[in-house]
Amino acid sequence: MVNSTQKIGSLVQTLLRPDRLFLSPIHMQYEPSSRCNQNCLHCEHNKNRKYPRDATFDEFKRFYDLLKPLYITLNGYGEPLMCRDLPRIIGYARDKGTQVNTTTNGILLKKYAQQLLDSELNLLNVSLDAAREETYSRIRGLKLFYKIVENIKYFNRLRMEGKASTLLRLSIVVQQSNLNELAEFSELSKELGADSVIFQLVETGFIDYRSHDAVGSMTLEKLKRSLDKTANTLERIQLRSNITWMRQNSEMLWNHHILRNNNTSRRCWKPWHSMYVTVDGTTRPCCNFVTDDVDFGTVRNGGALNKAYNTKKFRAFRKALSNMKRPHKPCKACVPETIPEILFREKF
């Protein structure tokens, strides 16, 4: 009953779009670590993070106890499994009834597989980005494809043996190197035991100096053909995905993420029900802001988190969004979800 009341209140707050929130966000994205053990083509982590570190359980607990969100996403600008307290963090939130998901590159997955399952994690997403070793190495910068595949198999085997409720999802950032492997990636995901697969078009607004390497000779027509072929494969193997949404919105995504023709027709609703907290306790509207210089408030020791979402900067930000403005650079590189998508689109 309490959860239903929170959800209804959050929906009302999101629809009304007040500058000052009267309810705390029901979703928190928390960054367990700002360290990373890869250097991916579509990410500028090594360029932007100068003093990376891991969060501690006590730091997370202080934030959680003040916000008490219904949903938590445990990932950010780093590899979550580099945080040794991650399984404990997940377990604490799950014991309180919060739904938790996290994303990993899979390098450390075998080491933490049983602990993640024991924590009763709701969803584990493994970002693989390729169906072949050479493609993986080109995108991820390391020759670890077969190791990651074996780690996923190991996790799934433990999951099946223990009849765990944790869902397994594989994801791929679509770019020129893997464009012709989307159908093959889907088949591999099915083979590895994934419950679903998710596709995301590379966002060149976040990788200025690498954007040509990510896009290359890829065109909208090639993208559409690959998505069509992949849709047929997914239907044949009966694997859930966001392929229908990708096909329906391919032109919009291409114009926005590749051509950078800013799409301002979609209103952003996220800052009325969600908030991002970095490993250093800095609050942001969403993960698009992790490398931005705009400081929406820094929470030392967690004591002011319950006020952080109503700082002057947050209120001004919401007001600008309500006036159909894109007040900061990260907003211009974003395609926000619509209300129907938030409420009704199948979540994976």
Side-chain angles (χ1 to χ4, degrees):
M1 182 64 182
V2 175
N3 285 0
S4 297
T5 302
Q6 283 181 271
K7 290 177 183 178
I8 293 171
S10 182
L11 175 60
V12 171
Q13 178 172 260
T14 301
L15 292 172
L16 292 177
R17 300 169 68 87
D19 300 344
R20 180 186 289 273
L21 300 190
F22 52 84
L23 294 173
S24 62
I26 63 171
H27 173 261
M28 176 174 71
Q29 182 167 355
Y30 185 81
E31 186 178 70
S33 177
S34 55
R35 297 191 298 138
C36 192
N37 47 8
Q38 285 196 322
N39 183 26
C40 302
L41 180 64
H42 51 269
C43 178
E44 293 190 331
H45 176 276
N46 292 343
K47 175 184 175 183
N48 292 311
R49 280 293 167 92
K50 295 180 174 58
Y51 306 105
R53 72 176 187 89
D54 302 333
T56 67
F57 171 76
D58 289 338
E59 286 174 326
F60 169 80
K61 184 177 181 297
R62 285 195 293 267
F63 294 142
Y64 178 92
D65 288 346
L66 284 166
L67 204 58
K68 295 182 175 65
L70 298 181
Y71 308 95
I72 287 183
T73 299
L74 289 171
N75 63 270
Y77 213 49
E79 166 53 41
L81 287 181
M82 296 194 77
C83 172
R84 65 181 181 182
D85 283 345
L86 185 69
R88 189 181 177 195
I89 286 171
I90 297 169
Y92 183 80
R94 291 292 296 127
D95 286 344
K96 302 292 184 179
T98 297
Q99 293 190 36
V100 184
N101 72 82
T102 191
T103 293
T104 177
N105 58 31
I107 294 177
L108 299 172
L109 181 55
K110 187 173 184 178
K111 177 180 179 180
Y112 288 103
Q114 191 61 61
Q115 293 182 58
L116 291 174
L117 293 168
D118 291 343
S119 73
E120 299 186 355
L121 175 70
N122 294 97
L123 169 68
L124 177 72
N125 181 81
V126 182
S127 182
L128 187 57
D129 289 333
R132 306 171 190 171
E133 180 184 23
E134 61 273 20
T135 307
Y136 179 90
S137 301
R138 192 177 307 123
I139 294 173
R140 292 275 171 171
L142 296 171
K143 293 183 177 181
L144 294 174
F145 178 75
Y146 291 115
K147 175 181 178 177
I148 307 304
V149 166
E150 288 304 314
N151 287 353
I152 295 171
K153 288 181 179 178
Y154 178 77
F155 176 85
N156 188 54
R157 184 165 65 252
L158 292 181
R159 186 173 72 121
M160 294 296 101
E161 290 173 353
K163 298 181 180 180
S165 59
T166 303
L167 296 175
L168 174 62
R169 183 180 73 193
L170 268 59
S171 63
I172 182 168
V173 176
V174 181
Q175 49 200 285
Q176 77 157 338
S177 296
N178 59 26
L179 182 62
N180 295 323
E181 295 180 22
L182 303 188
E184 188 177 346
F185 181 83
S186 302
E187 292 181 308
L188 174 63
S189 299
K190 182 74 173 183
E191 178 186 329
L192 295 178
D195 299 291
S196 62
V197 61
I198 193 165
F199 305 91
Q200 177 188 349
L201 184 62
V202 63
E203 301 180 19
T204 62
F206 295 109
I207 52 167
D208 286 331
Y209 78 103
R210 290 176 169 180
S211 59
H212 181 269
D213 293 333
V215 179
S217 62
M218 185 168 62
T219 65
L220 176 58
E221 289 69 28
K222 290 179 180 179
L223 173 64
K224 286 182 175 181
R225 285 198 297 270
S226 183
L227 292 176
D228 290 343
K229 177 183 177 182
T230 304
N232 292 331
T233 298
L234 287 162
E235 183 177 2
R236 174 174 55 80
I237 65 177
Q238 293 294 291
L239 184 62
R240 298 165 63 200
S241 75
N242 66 335
I243 194 71
T244 299
W245 186 85
M246 285 289 292
R247 295 172 74 194
Q248 291 173 344
N249 295 283
S250 58
E251 291 190 23
M252 177 192 67
L253 294 170
W254 183 268
N255 289 332
H256 191 81
H257 291 324
I258 308 301
L259 302 183
R260 303 193 197 182
N261 296 329
N262 296 329
N263 178 6
T264 59
S265 62
R266 286 183 163 226
R267 305 186 80 178
C268 178
W269 304 89
K270 202 163 192 175
W272 284 269
H273 60 265
S274 179
M275 185 171 69
Y276 182 97
V277 181
T278 72
V279 70
D280 296 315
T282 303
T283 60
R284 297 283 191 267
C286 69
C287 60
N288 283 352
F289 281 78
V290 291
T291 62
D292 195 76
D293 293 332
V294 179
D295 188 351
F296 282 75
T298 301
V299 183
R300 302 297 182 194
N301 301 321
L305 185 62
N306 55 343
K307 299 178 181 178
Y309 46 81
N310 276 329
T311 62
K312 289 183 179 179
K313 288 182 179 178
F314 255 118
R315 297 200 306 271
F317 178 70
R318 294 190 190 100
K319 185 174 183 179
L321 290 179
S322 294
N323 292 329
M324 297 299 290
K325 296 179 180 178
R326 297 291 182 100
H328 299 289
K329 182 180 177 181
C331 299
K332 296 178 174 62
C334 178
V335 177
E337 286 187 304
T338 64
I339 286 291
E341 287 171 345
I342 293 172
L343 293 176
F344 305 117
R345 191 172 76 190
E346 188 175 6
K347 302 299 189 294
F348 304 107

